[in-house]
Amino acid sequence: MDAHSSAPVPPPGCPAHGGRVPLYGPDFAANPQSYYDYLRHYGATAPVELAPGVNATLVTEYSAALQLLQDSATFRKDGRRWREFNEGAVPLDSPVVPLLMHRPNAMFADGAEHLRLRQAITDTMARIDTRRLARVTQQVSDFLIAQFGYRGSVDLVGSYARQLPLFVFNELFGCPADIGDRVLFGISNMFDGINAEQAAEVLYGAVGELVTLKRSRPGDDVASWMMEHSSRLTDEEMVHQLALLLSGTDPEGNFIGSTLHRLLTHDAYAHQGGLIYEAIDDTLWENPPMANLAPHYPAVDTEFAGEQLKAGDLMLVSFAAANRSPILAGERKVGSRAHLAWSAGPHACPSKDPARQIAMTAIENLFNKLPDIELAVPESSLSWRPGPFNRGLVALPTRFTPVEAARPVPAANATNRQEPGKAGEKTGRWSQFLNWLTK
């Protein structure tokens, strides 16, 4: 055998000799696993570029990722420690900066401040009644299916997977439709790196309006419950805590869409019963909705996994790469939930149980209503969203036997990517849902 036959081969668009590996562009979006496979030749960590001029160290190995996520003494979350950003080496207009820069919420806090902000989230989310969540998800699912069920074809990402979490969160958070639509616009474009600075302004402006609304008119909803919490959050903290939670609409849409993709493209799954649970777990293992995130910064110069790091170096965890670490080969069992899709340690996702419940209810109801739904295009023609952080389909075209709508529903409005300043039709969409419920 040739001595060089086992050398790692960089994927298209990936630098073959030295330098940092770019986690952006169409080649990365099309086949990120080939990039992760290549990155492994660096060891447990690898030098990457998140966007032009934005460097990071990416943790790709499972045990190293766990060590990082669980060691809050050595690795801190406060984004104000980001050394290269503070030194002016990071372009201020970079599309990834709005998602990485410090915010006064639990994600970017350490120590006692993190405990205070985190407790406000966990106590608030614990008040969500699972029966209410199931009922709302079922109602939203029925409404969305009624809008396209008579047509016999639909893009399940644009018309179902990405819309459903927004509707559910609108109800749980007491979020009016016009505010909710701007939230989705802001979150989607921040994750995709599309006009990210403007998207961030839209998101935080919309949530600020929600906080003002709930201060004057509290209700039986997540936003109002968080205001009542003993942590006594300021308005600024409320905005950033709620924005953090509402940002779950984007990965939740990716999660639902990728699980539907798996069910429609893998013959091993049936469209009913316990196999949906298996498809959900397999998606979280092999195609997690957040592929690379969890920014951390060494508190001091340190060595980690054989790599010398400076204080304030940006480190990210590749959940997608870690879940496929070679050390896990043969260890993973059916039904195992030891994956890192929800992160781990003190900053693990506090909403993983509601997220699973929403996805399960949405997928079960879809296949119950449209049992013969199938992919309408070759799988090879599907494309994935850009950017280094998320993992989600752009579209999932399907076809099925048309079904008569249970209730008359006006035609669906424009795409979620519509400019938020032109959201008049979008406000009507929420009104359509409320009117539909009362008929």
Side-chain angles (χ1 to χ4, degrees), residues 111-388:
E113 186 67 1
H114 170 252
L115 291 176
R116 182 179 73 91
L117 296 173
R118 172 83 177 195
Q119 198 65 48
I121 289 177
T122 54
D123 290 349
T124 298
M125 297 302 288
R127 294 181 63 174
I128 297 176
D129 182 79
T130 57
R131 292 168 297 182
R132 175 184 177 186
L133 181 59
R135 182 180 70 253
V136 170
T137 305
Q138 178 86 25
Q139 289 171 337
V140 171
S141 175
D142 287 343
F143 170 71
L144 294 175
I145 292 170
Q147 291 192 74
F148 58 73
Y150 64 92
R151 298 203 307 258
S153 64
V154 69
D155 166 21
L156 280 180
V157 168
S159 295
Y160 192 71
R162 297 193 69 187
Q163 289 197 39
L164 185 141
L166 174 61
F167 276 76
V168 173
F169 276 47
N170 272 354
E171 200 281 339
L172 293 178
F173 284 66
C175 198
D178 61 328
I179 292 177
D181 285 314
R182 282 179 283 148
V183 165
L184 183 61
F185 172 89
I187 292 168
S188 298
N189 286 2
M190 281 177 65
F191 278 114
D192 285 348
I194 300 173
N195 298 322
E197 187 173 353
Q198 179 208 9
E201 291 177 1
V202 170
L203 170 63
Y204 288 98
V207 179
E209 291 180 28
L210 178 63
V211 170
T212 299
L213 174 66
K214 293 303 173 181
R215 288 290 189 199
S216 61
R217 287 187 288 165
D220 185 24
D221 53 63
V222 169
S224 300
W225 298 338
M226 189 171 288
M227 284 182 178
E228 300 169 0
H229 193 265
S230 59
S231 58
R232 301 180 64 84
L233 300 178
T234 66
D235 281 0
E236 182 186 28
E237 289 171 337
M238 279 292 306
V239 168
H240 289 277
Q241 292 272 89
L242 290 175
L244 176 63
L245 290 175
L246 284 164
S247 66
T249 58
D250 191 82
E252 180 72 9
N254 290 343
F255 178 25
I256 295 171
S258 294
T259 305
L260 289 170
H261 167 262
R262 176 170 288 274
L263 285 162
L264 293 173
T265 57
H266 290 67
D267 293 337
Y269 300 110
H271 295 164
Q272 60 184 357
L275 290 182
I276 293 180
Y277 279 99
E278 292 182 20
I280 284 175
D281 286 329
D282 289 344
T283 297
L284 292 170
W285 272 104
E286 299 180 16
N287 216 15
M290 293 307 305
N292 308 294
L293 201 57
H296 284 76
Y297 307 89
V300 296
D301 293 356
T302 188
E303 180 182 351
F304 177 78
E307 182 78 10
Q308 292 296 326
L309 302 170
K310 293 182 179 180
D313 279 353
L314 173 59
M315 302 187 68
L316 263 61
V317 173
S318 178
F319 305 120
N323 280 351
R324 294 195 181 191
S325 292
I327 63 168
L328 297 178
E331 296 295 324
R332 195 180 125 202
K333 299 178 180 178
V334 174
S336 169
R337 296 182 183 176
H339 56 74
L340 297 180
W342 308 118
S343 191
H347 287 270
C349 176
S351 304
K352 63 179 181 179
D353 291 335
R356 286 187 65 93
Q357 183 179 349
I358 291 170
M360 187 69 201
T361 302
I363 295 169
E364 279 189 328
N365 194 54
L366 177 74
F367 283 122
N368 285 338
K369 294 288 195 304
L370 308 173
D372 64 348
I373 194 167
E374 62 181 8
L375 197 62
V377 298
E379 183 183 2
S380 59
S381 70
L382 299 176
S383 58
W384 297 82
R385 295 171 62 188

Side-chain angles (χ1 to χ4, degrees), residues 15 18-23 39 42-43 45-49 55-58 307:
R20 291 180 174 268
V21 178
L23 301 189
L39 288 173
Y42 288 96
T45 66
V48 298
E49 188 177 54
N55 299 328
T57 296
L58 189 70
E307 182 78 10

